[in-house]
Amino acid sequence: MSTVVGIDLGTTNSLVAYMENGKPRVIPGTEGNLLVPSVVYFDVEKGAVVGDKALEELLRHPERTVYSVKRLMGKAPDDVIEDKKVLPFQFVDSKQIIRISIGSRDFTPPELSAFILKDLKQRAEKFLGQAIEQAVITVPAYFDDAQRQATKDAGKLAGLDVLRILNEPTAACLAYGLDKTKEALVAVYDLGGGTFDISILKLKDGIFEVLATNGDTHLGGDDFDHRLVDFAWKRIEFRLGALDRGKLFPRLRRAAIEAKHHLTENNSAWIAVSLPEYKFSEEIPISRAEFDRLIDDLVQKTLACCRQALADARLAPEQIDVVVMAGGATRVPCVRQAVKDLFGRELHTEINPDEVVALGAAIQAEILSGGITDMLLLDVTPLSLGIETFGGVMSRLISRNSTIPASATETFTTAVDNQTSIDVHVLQGERELAADNRSLARFQLRNIPPLQAGLPRIEVKFLIDANGILNVSAREQRTGKEASIEVKPSYGLTDEQIEQMLLESIEHADEDFRKRLLIEARVEADGILAATEKSIKSSAYKKLSAKEKGSIEEAMAELRKVSSSDDHKLIRDKIDLLNEVTHHLAEMMMDQAVRAALKDKRIEEV
Ligand code: ADP
Ligand code: MG
């Protein structure tokens, strides 16, 4: 049986773990080190260098070293404007895709992460003496579909078949064996190098449901380092004033990290600043109490996130049964104390917090490889699920890779006046158009009261239970009329078919998007033409000037002419034009409606 490894692909550090005689274990590097800094350096001759060696190069060759790539995964350039300000990389100018230029080459975030994954893969292969081809990779619970997909792509590029993308807090729970608890509310407090995540999970019969997540994407152990650097700088500034703090920063930071780690075990430490070229050397003493004060506001900030997550899950801190600590920065004693005080209970800290996620990933890997059979499989939906809406477009209710059980509700309405029934067409797949996806089921909701189009409120609910069975129901809210159907979503779909559907959706992404825009424009054109025709018969229309009437008719004719063309931009232009020339008419009709309403009211009041 080939080994499936578990990988924690972290913002600061990454780890790879496997199951050894029924127990998870982090695989060490040749020097015994367990953590691989998530840093990639591009050596002119050797190519990509990952981990501790790359971290060293960060001081010497910052222009050829990248870190914190996880922040960019699955993002569009517009999403990372803030990150770009602090990450000193050479971003390639593009609206569509993030690329970082290093030397003469450009890399996407998944490509950069793939270098780290490749390194972890090789580490495992060397240690285990066998080829490693399959892995479980963890991601934060709040990662969206694009971010999960980017992580999976990175795995593929590294030559790994990613069997599962697993939520980091779920992995931490698995490492503590919490899946064996019948029912519990769990809080996972994860403070890493640069990010803080709090996740509130509901655990029931081996299934983890994410009730709420919160956090701060720019808060972590790095900020503690910065506070220590500030502290040290204040003490030595008067002697180094002429020197550039920015230039000295990497070395100051290194000294600060050492002191921080020392303070975890001891009541006092020294920040050892040594700058031989300036014949400067100083050991600045700092007590743990002083350090606690320096970072107190940061710790308080994490607590505020915890309170918000609890509020979102509608829970009080006392209702949480188990608190799990993850991330290297949760080693700091005052952080532990603060979290303990907030929840009013003991914390799970027995497992090394920087290893706990990777260890859980290894357990999940073993479950998937069939090595553990007495555990329930935590599952995710392999493809998105949704329904067909106007114009044959797929409207997604549950995205692929959502952990199950999952549920989603969306409200739809009718397309034509006096429509008394709707067809609910349940679809599975990633394509924009209904016809390109797999049809899972169809059913009808009848006896909707005959109303003007757009007025009925039809709530469609998707519910996937723990066994992967999908139940779809539709309900008209005014009348309470209801219809539902049970579907087995993954039944009959092999892994190859899923793979094929995903490949097609990537290949056709551009084309699909254009088709969707076209259909939406056509539907809107039909709608606005119908509405305008109706208003031409109104008394308000008669009050318009001949010139206004003329331009409305002309705009309608122009829209009619292009409404079945293949150019969505052209249709949109004509819709805008018609909207513009009917603006005055719409205002007058609105006035009339308001006046009529007031009149009615007066009669009623009399
Ligand atoms: P990430 O999840 O972001 O990859 P980690 O979980 O590996 O990060 O956490 C890294 C952070 O933990 C760093 O800021 C590091 O300095 C901090 N850390 C590691 N060990 C200790 C320690 N003994 N005391 C205090 N902080 C620590
Ligand atoms: Mg982490």
Side-chain angles (χ1 to χ4, degrees), residues 214-275:
N214 204 291
D216 189 325
T217 50
H218 291 97
L219 177 58
D222 296 351
D223 298 285
F224 298 174
D225 307 342
H226 292 150
R227 292 291 165 87
L228 281 172
V229 169
D230 287 345
F231 175 85
W233 185 251
K234 272 194 202 124
R235 300 281 181 294
I236 56 175
E237 189 179 13
F238 68 100
R239 290 170 57 198
L240 289 167
L243 298 179
D244 180 7
R245 179 184 151 155
K247 222 174 106 196
L248 303 179
F249 182 78
R251 276 182 288 171
L252 293 173
R253 180 169 172 227
R254 192 173 272 200
I257 293 173
E258 260 170 51
K260 177 179 77 170
H261 291 188
H262 196 76
L263 281 172
T264 293
E265 308 296 332
N266 305 278
N267 276 320
S268 62
W270 283 269
I271 306 170
V273 182
S274 161
L275 308 165

Side-chain angles (χ1 to χ4, degrees), residues 8-13 70 168 190-193 195 197 326-328 353-354 357:
D8 171 5
L9 183 61
T11 313
T12 320
N13 294 301
K70 188 172 179 177
E168 287 163 11
D190 184 346
L191 192 61
T195 57
D197 302 317
D354 35 29
V357 169

Side-chain angles (χ1 to χ4, degrees), residues 353-503:
D354 35 29
E355 292 175 37
V356 69
V357 169
L359 295 173
I363 296 172
Q364 175 70 46
E366 184 80 344
I367 297 174
L368 291 174
S369 68
I372 299 176
T373 49
D374 63 341
M375 253 187 203
L376 201 81
L377 224 89
L378 312 164
D379 226 336
V380 293
T381 57
L383 293 164
S384 301
L385 295 160
I387 65 165
E388 177 172 346
T389 50
F390 306 150
V393 170
M394 159 136 169
S395 172
R396 222 161 280 175
L397 272 94
I398 294 179
S399 299
R400 78 200 191 80
N401 275 340
S402 301
T403 37
I404 60 167
S407 73
T409 309
E410 227 173 282
T411 308
F412 296 91
T413 189
T414 49
V416 283
D417 288 347
N418 303 323
Q419 187 176 337
T420 56
S421 75
I422 60 156
D423 273 317
V424 180
H425 186 191
V426 185
L427 300 164
Q428 181 180 42
E430 308 312 310
R431 302 283 298 271
E432 299 280 350
L433 300 189
D436 296 329
N437 288 307
R438 187 164 186 262
S439 165
L440 289 180
R442 279 176 195 274
F443 66 96
Q444 262 197 342
L445 178 63
R446 289 198 202 91
N447 300 332
I448 300 171
L451 285 169
Q452 210 178 312
L455 281 185
R457 290 178 59 79
I458 297 147
E459 193 183 81
V460 175
K461 185 170 181 186
F462 273 49
L463 184 96
I464 313 177
D465 69 12
N467 300 314
I469 308 291
L470 171 70
N471 195 289
V472 183
S473 60
R475 185 170 181 272
E476 204 291 308
Q477 287 186 320
R478 232 173 279 268
T479 52
K481 279 270 173 292
E482 210 171 324
S484 67
I485 195 164
E486 194 176 87
V487 231
K488 281 202 173 113
S490 52
Y491 182 79
L493 270 191
T494 63
D495 280 355
E496 287 76 43
Q497 282 170 314
I498 292 175
E499 185 81 357
Q500 190 56 36
M501 287 168 90
L502 290 178
L503 272 177

Side-chain angles (χ1 to χ4, degrees), residues 504-550:
E504 279 172 10
S505 85
I506 294 166
E507 276 166 20
H508 295 288
D510 256 9
E511 183 195 329
D512 274 9
F513 189 59
R514 249 177 289 121
K515 270 196 214 161
R516 186 186 182 126
L517 288 177
L518 179 63
I519 290 175
E520 280 172 356
R522 282 183 185 165
V523 168
E524 202 177 318
D526 290 347
I528 184 174
L529 280 170
T532 315
E533 255 153 41
K534 226 189 219 170
S535 52
I536 282 182
K537 295 183 190 111
S538 73
S539 56
Y541 184 76
K542 296 195 183 83
K543 294 193 188 122
L544 291 181
S545 71
K547 193 170 158 224
E548 277 175 317
K549 287 181 192 162

Side-chain angles (χ1 to χ4, degrees), residues 72-76 79 110 139 142-154 396 399-401:
L72 308 173
M73 292 287 275
K75 296 283 182 90
D79 302 332
V139 297
Y142 63 78
F143 254 31
D144 65 20
D145 199 50
Q147 291 169 296
R148 285 166 199 260
Q149 195 50 46
T151 307
K152 231 176 163 177
D153 291 345
R396 222 161 280 175
S399 299
R400 78 200 191 80
N401 275 340

Side-chain angles (χ1 to χ4, degrees), residues 522-576:
R522 282 183 185 165
V523 168
E524 202 177 318
D526 290 347
I528 184 174
L529 280 170
T532 315
E533 255 153 41
K534 226 189 219 170
S535 52
I536 282 182
K537 295 183 190 111
S538 73
S539 56
Y541 184 76
K542 296 195 183 83
K543 294 193 188 122
L544 291 181
S545 71
K547 193 170 158 224
E548 277 175 317
K549 287 181 192 162
S551 48
I552 289 175
E553 262 155 39
E554 201 174 309
M556 282 175 78
E558 279 184 41
L559 180 57
R560 256 189 224 110
K561 208 162 64 200
V562 301
S563 71
S564 50
S565 82
D566 285 341
D567 187 345
H568 70 87
K569 279 206 201 86
L570 187 62
I571 304 177
R572 258 291 137 227
D573 281 350
K574 298 299 173 198
I575 290 175
D576 290 346

Side-chain angles (χ1 to χ4, degrees), residues 78-114:
D78 278 352
D79 302 332
V80 295
I81 293 167
E82 288 307 309
D83 289 301
K84 273 182 169 171
K85 286 182 194 154
V86 285
L87 295 175
F89 313 145
Q90 188 97 45
F91 285 92
V92 178
D93 197 28
S94 158
K95 276 253 162 275
Q96 272 76 44
I97 193 165
I98 297 176
R99 284 179 176 279
I100 294 168
S101 165
I102 300 147
S104 59
R105 280 195 59 186
D106 296 344
F107 298 96
T108 61
E111 283 174 301
L112 293 167
S113 288

